[in-house]
Amino acid sequence: MKIAILGTGYVGLSTGVCLSQIGHQVTCLDINEQKIVQLRKGISPIYEPGLDDLLTMNMAAGKLKFTTSQPEALANAEIIIVAVGTPQGDDGAADLSYLVQASKDISSYINHDTIIVIKSTVPVGTNDFIKKLIEDYCGFPVKMVSNPEFLRQGSAIDDTLKADRIIIGSENEEAASKIQKMYRPLNVEVIITSTKSAEMIKYASNAFLATKISYINEIANLCEAVGADVQDVARGMGKDKRIGEEFLYAGIGYGGSCFPKDVKALLHTAGVNGVKFPLLKETIAINDFQREVLVAKVLKRFGGLKGKKIAMLGLAFKPETDDMREAPSIPIAAALTKYGAEVVAYDPVATDNARKIIGDSIKYAGSIDEAVHEADAVLIVTEWKEVKSIDVAEMLAKMKEPIIFDGRNCFPEETIRACGSVEYYPIGKPAIII
Ligand SMILES: NC(=O)c1ccc[n+]([C@@H]2O[C@H](COP(=O)([O-])OP(=O)(O)OC[C@H]3O[C@@H](n4cnc5c(N)ncnc54)[C@H](O)[C@@H]3O)[C@@H](O)[C@H]2O)c1
């Protein structure tokens, strides 16, 4: 099938690469010229494991193209997939301005048979609103499909090629069946629903996962108060199939480009529809509190931070991505510098993106060794493999004081106890002070 994708971000690019991999002819369109110039050279503008190989392979096979030209991408497309950003607006609702512009762009080039697929995360009712908008511009009825995306950054390619499910929401049977056919080579279970249900499935899923994280973080805080170990508790809970093991990792809260904005957008949708949804308010409040837990522990241990060198390991909002959107490292860096600490951060891939947001208020190291050299304490912010596989004793030997605040519970108790003299402050577990 001839497919055009609008937006070559984490979702659009991963989708484009995977659809070309399963045999479709894909043209990816973006308004960001720099991205397209890079992509045409086979260079991915984002870090995503496995993406580069599939990108170059499918470009070489002539199945994947990149352009900034709307007529080139849209004029002959059978299917147009919209994957532009829907960031958080000032009032908490999703900002649909990119989507509205993309829809206007589309309306100039579609014909009667083109199917428009909204993959961006959009509030319930948006597909209907976009349908009307496009029809008002182009003057004929269009076929819409809501096809929300569930990939996780850091495993986007695997999540797309081996998805748990594909949601297809449409009021047009022919369009739904064509999109089902488009995905058939993936051999993934397809759930067909109304457009509104498909839109709701995406928000309900993300808000549920965010709530699961806030729940285990609240349990972690209680574990600390009563002397229990949240990792043991989570293991015990997760073996119950009704609960499941995923998203039961206590830490410093969720971040990233989706959970924070999607929870707030769902709360906004509830509000405008007269539904209070206090559970979501608590999910957000617990997460805001959890982002401050690590700094509170540092302050409790040191009193003031003037003249202290703090090494921050990890900047990205989670491992295997260079995305800094809503990363807990941002408020943590701001708080530490506000209290006078000298912060030296290390991240394997997110440093350039972090510098654009955090700026020069902190220093950036090229290695873990450089970051921890003569540090008064280490803060673990992102659980990168490189961080988890560190030789803790060796790291401590390079520091001024052997103090670790672990926001991601990276190290087993035996590893820490084997280090000799150490102060180790994890989340939701007793501290180890030897
Ligand atoms: N990132 C994720 O993990 C993830 C997962 C599931 C769903 N989503 C949702 O998917 C959507 C996209 O997310 P993302 O993280 O890929 O966004 P992104 O910000 O990384 O990328 C969006 C891209 O769209 C481009 N764009 C904007 N207007 C355009 C237009 N008129 N024509 C062509 N391109 C245009 C931008 O230049 C940008 O490159 C959002 O709604 C998001 O909530 C994201």
Side-chain angles (χ1 to χ4, degrees), residues 7 9-11 30 35 86 105 121 149 153 257-258 261 325:
Y10 290 87
V11 169
D30 207 294
K35 271 191 186 179
T86 47
D105 299 344
T121 302
E149 181 53 59
Q153 286 173 225
S257 65
C258 292
K261 78 169 174 71
R325 287 178 282 187

Side-chain angles (χ1 to χ4, degrees), residues 6 18 109 160 165 345 429:
L6 273 80
C18 291
Y109 299 100
T160 308
R165 78 306 205 184
K429 297 154 62 107

Side-chain angles (χ1 to χ4, degrees), residues 255-256 291 315-318 323-332:
R291 289 158 82 104
L315 288 161
F317 86 91
K318 67 174 186 176
D323 200 342
M324 281 295 295
R325 287 178 282 187
E326 296 282 336
S329 63
I330 302 168
I332 290 174

Side-chain angles (χ1 to χ4, degrees), residues 309-313 344-346 365-373 375:
K309 176 182 169 179
I310 307 283
M312 244 173 76
L313 300 187
V344 183
Y346 168 73
S367 64
I368 293 181
D369 277 2
E370 189 189 334
V372 304
H373 180 71

Side-chain angles (χ1 to χ4, degrees), residues 68-87:
T68 51
S69 155
Q70 289 156 355
E72 186 189 333
L74 302 173
N76 297 312
E78 295 164 65
I79 297 167
I80 296 175
I81 300 178
V82 185
V84 301
T86 47

Side-chain angles (χ1 to χ4, degrees), residues 224 297 413 416-417 423-426 428-434:
E224 273 185 36
K297 287 184 184 199
E413 194 177 329
I416 298 300
R417 291 202 178 276
E423 282 181 47
Y424 179 69
Y425 300 94
K429 297 154 62 107
I432 300 172
I433 301 171
I434 304 171

Side-chain angles (χ1 to χ4, degrees), residues 5-14 28-33 35-36 45-46 48 67-68 70 74 82-87 94-106 118-122 148-154 156 202-203 206 256-259 261-262 317-318 323 325:
I5 301 188
L6 273 80
T8 57
Y10 290 87
V11 169
L13 184 56
S14 305
C28 294
L29 169 72
D30 207 294
I31 48 172
N32 184 328
E33 262 194 60
K35 271 191 186 179
I36 296 298
I46 54 168
E48 195 57 61
T67 185
T68 51
Q70 289 156 355
L74 302 173
V82 185
V84 301
T86 47
D95 171 357
L96 299 180
S97 54
Y98 295 108
L99 185 66
V100 166
Q101 185 53 51
S103 308
K104 289 179 184 169
D105 299 344
I106 291 169
I118 307 288
K119 192 169 263 303
S120 301
T121 302
V122 293
E149 181 53 59
F150 299 93
L151 63 76
R152 294 162 299 177
Q153 286 173 225
K202 175 63 193 172
Y203 280 104
N206 270 7
S257 65
C258 292
F259 284 0
K261 78 169 174 71
D262 290 350
F317 86 91
K318 67 174 186 176
D323 200 342
R325 287 178 282 187

